[in-house]
Structures are given as structure tokens and as C-alpha cells.
Amino acid sequence: MRRLTRTVAAAALATALALVGGCSSDSEKSESGGGNGAALEKVTYLTSFGNFGRDSYAWVAKDKGFFKEAGFEVDIKPGQGTGSVIQTITGGQADFGPIDLTGGILQLGNGQAKDFVAVAAIQQRTMAAIVTVEGKNIATPKDLEGKKLADTPTSVVRNLFPTYARLANIDGSKVTWVNGEAQGLIGMLGSGSVDGIGQFVVGQPTVKAVTKKEPVVLPYSNVMQDLYGNALITSSKIAKEKPEMVKKFTAALLKGLEYALANPDEAGEILKKNVPAAVPAAASAELALMAAYVRSSNSGTAIGTLDSGRVAKSIALLQGAGSLKQNLTPDQIIDFDLAPKA
């Protein structure tokens, strides 16, 4: 970890600006092909949020030709978080994108979204966390009482906080939340205007470099172990009408994920080639930290698998914490016929 943070320290400030819109490679071709001479099917893909290293695997799948081999010409655009990604896909402006699965359950179960399904896991454990720095007198979840935290209103970290608070024995009424732009959250923490921010655990190197202080991380997974992290979704319409297309796209994307985790430095360079504001070292560091979340003891050997029993436990946990207004079953949010098999 110390080596990773040293590697990205010089460049991490630029990483905080890497949320700028993705751009297609200059060498992008209007191809025909895909192995059998047929025209490539055009697909619009959203990242989970911006163009950080944690989402670089999509660019890898494109750059290494995995999408083309599967028959797709993919336009990658920067997503803006779970709620926005769901709305864009169900509204027909995009075809695929990753969301935080727990955030998706909350949106579906509280009537805030519909007409989408998850078809693969990206991370087997949630990466959601509260991140602060040394000197804030925060070492345990209970220490968040009386503190001011910042996040975007639609962030899964913020929306899941009431559940986290109940399970971690925090009096949520004693925690103040303020709004912040996603790309400015680390700066707010560094300036001292807030005591902590909603963040993914892989953001630690950037937090350290920007704030010049040692990060203190309170991962949600410490108290909510069954929760998945990001999951690939598509619209219910596409899943129903084009199941084979969904399977092929998912396989190509997961191939990019596996390659990126095995070759994080190359993945960082590929991201930089397509997104000039990206910092390769920071992207590589994020992938190195993310690897443990993509494969876990719960997931077996196959990347992307989703287990009905674990999803049911996640739903029960949220229901038990009073975070869901409606009853849900795993089949309402996961299309297990399309998901990779363990």
C-alpha cells in the first residue's frame, strides 16, 4: 500500500480532474467485421463514474479488441453515479453500464427506478466507505457522531448511510451531511471544510496525495459483508429482446476486466491514451486495490458471478434496517439467465 501511494503521490491531484468526459480514440474506425464479416453492432456504454482507474477495464476491452471480436463498436461515455446511470439506460440513451448493486436495490425497492436488470457482478464486495484523514479524531464509526460529511445527494455511500449507521451503532441524527460535487469532494476534505467524505476504498492514494495526510477509511463492508459492489446493468427491454447480445457484450467486458487486473500498468496507459486527463500511475494503483474486491471467497473462480442467496441476504439486510419500502426478490433485480455461471 505504501508503495502504491508513493507511486501516485506526484500525479494524484490530476487524477481528481479525471472525471472529464471520455473521448474516442483518434484511431477509432468505422469498422465492419467482428470475426464473421458482419457489421459491428453499435453500443453505448457508461462508466460507473467518470474515468478513474476503477473503470478503465472498459477502455481495455475496447483497445485490446475484445469488443470488436464479440461484434461490437462501443462508444464509452463517463457515467455520473448509480441513479444517473440507471436513468440514462432506462431512458434509452445508453445500453450498458455499472451501478452499485445495493444502490440499485434501494432505487428499485423505494420506487425511484424500474425497468433495469443486473447481468454480472464487477465487484463481489461493496467498495463504499466513509473516508477521512488523521487529525479529525475519527477512528471508529461511532466517532462520526457530531461530524460533518460531504457527498453528492445521489451517491450510494450517502443513500446507504442510514443502514450503515444502524448496523454500526451510529446515531445518524448526530451526523451532518452537506452536498458536494463529486470531483471536488477530496478538495473539501483537504481544505478542512468537512470531516469526511463518501468515497470508494480505492480512492485512498488520491486522498493521501491531495490532502497530504494519511487517510482513515471506514469501509461499509466491515458491517455489511454480503453486499456486492458494482454490477453491470442493462434495460429490461434489451435483456428480454437481445439476450445473446447481452451475453456476448458481458463476456467481452469481463475479459477486459480480467486483463486490466492482470496488467494494471498497461491498463493505466490505455486509459491515458483515451482520456488525456487520466493519470496512468493512479489508475494502476486503483486497479491493484480493486483486485481483492473483484474476486473473493464468496465468488469462486469466475469473474462476474451473482449468487441469488447473497442477493437475498442483501435485500433482507436492507429490509431489516428499514431502508426498503417494498418487498423485493433477487429475480426482480438480477437476470440470472444472463449472468455468468460460477
Side-chain angles (χ1 to χ4, degrees):
M1 178 66 202
R2 207 173 296 136
R3 179 180 67 80
L4 288 173
T5 53
R6 282 201 303 266
T7 302
V8 302
L13 192 54
T15 304
L17 302 176
L19 289 166
V20 296
C23 56
S24 298
S25 170
D26 291 338
S27 61
E28 191 68 39
K29 304 176 184 66
S30 178
E31 306 130 318
S32 62
N36 59 4
L40 297 179
E41 184 169 3
K42 293 184 178 181
V43 166
T44 299
Y45 173 88
L46 299 176
T47 66
S48 65
F49 190 86
N51 286 308
F52 287 117
R54 68 199 73 162
D55 275 297
S56 62
Y57 55 89
W59 294 106
V60 170
K62 183 172 183 175
D63 189 85
K64 303 303 291 185
F66 302 152
F67 285 144
K68 184 179 179 181
E69 290 168 4
F72 302 106
E73 179 183 347
V74 180
D75 183 18
I76 302 173
K77 297 180 181 295
Q80 295 296 325
T82 293
S84 176
V85 170
I86 292 173
Q87 290 174 8
T88 306
I89 289 175
T90 58
Q93 290 82 45
D95 304 295
F96 295 95
I99 65 166
D100 186 278
L101 185 59
T102 306
I105 292 172
L106 289 171
Q107 292 250 325
L108 186 64
N110 291 320
Q112 297 167 328
K114 60 180 181 178
D115 300 329
F116 71 93
V117 290
V119 295
I122 303 300
Q123 292 115 22
Q124 292 289 326
R125 290 186 292 141
T126 180
M127 298 198 302
I130 301 297
V131 177
T132 182
V133 290
E134 288 185 345
K136 295 290 187 181
N137 297 318
I138 299 174
T140 69
K142 191 70 174 174
D143 296 331
L144 293 174
E145 294 179 1
K147 301 298 193 297
K148 182 188 296 184
L149 307 180
D151 205 346
T152 61
T154 59
S155 163
V156 69
V157 177
R158 186 166 176 176
N159 290 328
L160 191 54
F161 183 78
T163 304
Y164 173 73
R166 291 185 187 97
L167 295 172
N169 195 31
I170 302 167
D171 184 346
S173 68
K174 296 181 180 179
V175 179
T176 301
W177 283 93
V178 297
N179 295 337
E181 294 293 329
Q183 59 267 37
L185 290 174
I186 297 177
M188 292 176 71
L189 180 61
S191 71
S193 62
V194 296
D195 300 303
I197 58 175
Q199 185 62 244
F200 278 171
V201 294
V202 295
Q204 294 174 64
T206 305
V207 170
K208 182 174 182 178
V210 172
T211 64
K212 311 300 181 188
K213 296 180 180 179
E214 196 66 32
V216 176
V217 183
L218 302 176
Y220 282 13
S221 60
N222 285 354
V223 297
M224 296 183 283
Q225 299 177 0
D226 284 313
L227 300 187
Y228 283 91
N230 281 352
L232 179 67
I233 69 163
T234 189
S235 68
S236 300
K237 184 176 187 293
I238 290 176
K240 181 179 180 180
E241 296 179 357
K242 299 182 177 181
E244 292 307 314
M245 173 265 208
V246 173
K247 289 180 182 179
K248 288 179 182 179
F249 180 87
T250 300
L253 182 70
L254 294 180
K255 188 174 181 180
L257 175 61
E258 192 157 23
Y259 189 97
L261 295 177
N263 304 277
D265 291 343
E266 182 183 354
E269 294 296 339
I270 289 172
L271 181 63
K272 173 68 174 178
K273 182 170 71 174
N274 290 280
V275 183
V279 179
S284 176
E286 284 207 358
L287 287 168
L289 290 170
M290 191 174 85
Y293 288 79
V294 173
R295 279 195 173 97
S296 72
S297 58
N298 290 326
S299 66
T301 57
I303 283 181
T305 59
L306 287 159
D307 179 76
S308 180
R310 278 191 63 200
V311 177
K313 288 181 181 179
S314 298
I315 293 171
L317 183 150
L318 296 172
Q319 288 175 328
S323 299
L324 289 179
K325 296 178 182 178
Q326 303 172 17
N327 291 326
L328 290 179
T329 65
D331 289 333
Q332 288 177 269
I333 194 165
I334 312 290
D335 191 325
F336 291 101
D337 290 334
L338 300 180
K341 302 298 185 287

